[in-house]
Amino acid sequence: MLTPFTTSNHVDIDGLKRITTLYLDAGSNGLFANCLSSEMFQLTDNERLLITKTVVDHCQGAVPVVATGTFSRDMTANSEFIKKIYDTGTQAVILITSMLVEPDESEDVLKARLETIMAQTGDIPLGVYECPMPYKRLLSPGIMRWMADTGRFVYHKDTSCHSGAIDRKAKAVEGTLFGFYNADTATALDSLDSGARGISPISGNFYPEPYSYLLKTYRQEGRTEALNQLHAFLTMMDRVTHVFYPFAAKLFLQRRGLKIETNTRIPAETMANVDLIRLNALMDSFKALAGMYEIPLVL
């Protein structure tokens, strides 16, 4: 999820409720609040809790909500904040893999720290996110199977961006409670073929409707030629959405008619004319795609 801010860069609670409604109306069947797209590293602890609780309360149980709970190298501090996030009403609390270990520390060290967190957080359902910040720490199929076997892990946001790696990891947790969700558009259909439970790409913060359509259609009809074509369009469009993010996503939604400001706490350079032309082309492509596949638009 994105976090809307006011012109004075405070959390825009009304805007947050409006964007939550947008996600729900567009067919999202789960929400990840307080994540990297939410500018979570630029928020205070109180803001992280406020944002998460606002989303949970606004959803009123319509879909599961998860949120990040690890912002320290201190596992006890992480455990205490995990409890606070869970108290907002989330279905699970997400651990950032690169916040738990340094780049040169082994997976055995990661496992030990996960065990510490599990011991300190009772039976709180947990998830993991291979967040690209502060660095990308990918998990092996082996540790994912171990995590699945603990019974505590229910959500994994994968950033492997490689069909073979995704297949091995998804197969490792097949038949368990540990749900596999792919963050990468290009490998979205491959991951669903491998057993992924869902997809969670940043382009869904520009236009969630075609992603909801893709997932629903895949579940109903499988990987048809028409769906392959839709996926090809989304893959090409995805290259534009990663530039000037998350500012560009807020500008795109504002141009779609959502009442939010474009302010971000992540510094954003001024978009050059050519970048604005590409964003306009993205809008035209999105609308053409929706018309081609008869995808209802929320805005």
Side-chain angles (χ1 to χ4, degrees):
M1 290 186 63
L2 299 170
T3 299
F5 295 106
T6 65
T7 53
S8 57
N9 245 357
H10 293 92
V11 175
D12 178 4
I13 295 299
D14 289 337
L16 183 60
K17 292 176 182 177
R18 284 191 287 271
I19 202 169
T20 302
T21 297
L22 167 67
Y23 293 130
L24 295 176
D25 289 348
S28 300
N29 49 29
L31 296 176
F32 188 172
N34 189 37
C35 61
L36 189 61
S37 291
S38 313
E39 302 176 70
M40 63 180 179
F41 291 118
Q42 286 72 38
L43 302 171
T44 66
D45 278 354
N46 285 339
E47 288 173 330
R48 291 163 181 154
L49 293 168
L50 173 64
I51 286 167
T52 303
K53 182 164 176 51
T54 299
V55 172
V56 168
D57 291 348
H58 192 70
C59 285
Q60 296 183 322
V63 299
V65 178
V66 300
T68 305
T70 52
F71 294 93
S72 171
R73 297 291 191 197
D74 183 326
M75 296 308 112
T76 299
N78 282 329
S79 296
E80 290 305 310
F81 194 65
I82 287 167
K83 295 173 187 175
K84 291 179 181 178
I85 286 286
Y86 190 62
D87 284 344
T88 65
T90 61
Q91 274 62 53
V93 182
I94 309 305
L95 319 180
I96 303 300
T97 53
S98 56
M99 290 302 300
L100 303 183
V101 284
E102 299 288 352
D104 60 348
E105 292 183 309
S106 71
E107 205 161 65
D108 286 338
V109 174
L110 173 59
K111 181 180 176 181
R113 290 180 184 156
L114 289 171
E115 288 176 325
T116 297
I117 288 174
M118 286 190 289
Q120 293 177 343
T121 55
D123 59 356
I124 294 174
L126 301 172
V128 282
Y129 172 22
E130 296 169 334
C131 182
M133 300 294 291
Y135 73 97
K136 185 185 285 195
R137 179 72 181 228
L138 299 177
L139 300 174
S140 72
I143 197 169
M144 287 189 63
R145 182 67 210 192
W146 171 82
M147 294 163 75
D149 288 342
T150 69
R152 289 287 301 278
F153 289 88
V154 298
Y155 179 95
H156 167 69
K157 182 169 180 176
D158 193 87
T159 62
S160 298
C161 304
H162 185 283
S163 298
I166 287 169
D167 184 66
R168 290 186 289 273
K169 292 160 79 172
K171 292 288 173 41
V173 299
E174 190 174 16
T176 73
L177 294 175
F178 199 5
F180 187 103
Y181 296 84
N182 184 10
D184 179 48
T185 293
T187 55
L189 285 182
D190 286 348
S191 66
L192 293 175
D193 285 343
S194 295
R197 199 170 295 172
I199 49 180
S200 184
I202 68 167
S203 293
N205 282 322
F206 290 72
Y207 33 81
E209 298 97 330
Y211 285 98
S212 296
Y213 176 88
L214 181 142
L215 186 57
K216 181 180 178 181
T217 304
Y218 179 89
R219 288 173 172 167
Q220 292 175 343
E221 304 174 15
R223 191 166 180 170
T224 64
E225 186 54 41
L227 203 61
N228 281 332
Q229 186 181 60
L230 170 64
H231 178 246
F233 286 126
L234 291 175
T235 298
M236 295 301 294
M237 292 161 61
D238 187 67
R239 301 302 297 172
V240 180
T241 63
H242 289 251
V243 183
F244 296 97
Y245 187 77
F247 167 79
K250 295 180 181 182
L251 178 59
F252 193 89
L253 288 178
Q254 187 185 71
R255 290 184 173 184
R256 287 193 60 187
L258 185 67
K259 189 180 177 184
I260 60 169
E261 301 295 334
T262 59
N263 293 58
T264 62
R265 290 186 182 175
I266 294 174
E269 297 178 10
T270 301
M271 294 182 76
N273 176 253
V274 67
D275 296 306
L276 290 171
I277 291 172
R278 290 190 181 108
L279 195 67
N280 290 336
L282 182 68
M283 182 72 77
D284 291 341
S285 299
F286 156 61
K287 290 180 177 178
L289 197 64
M292 188 185 309
Y293 284 86
E294 299 182 345
I295 300 172
L297 300 184
V298 176
L299 295 172

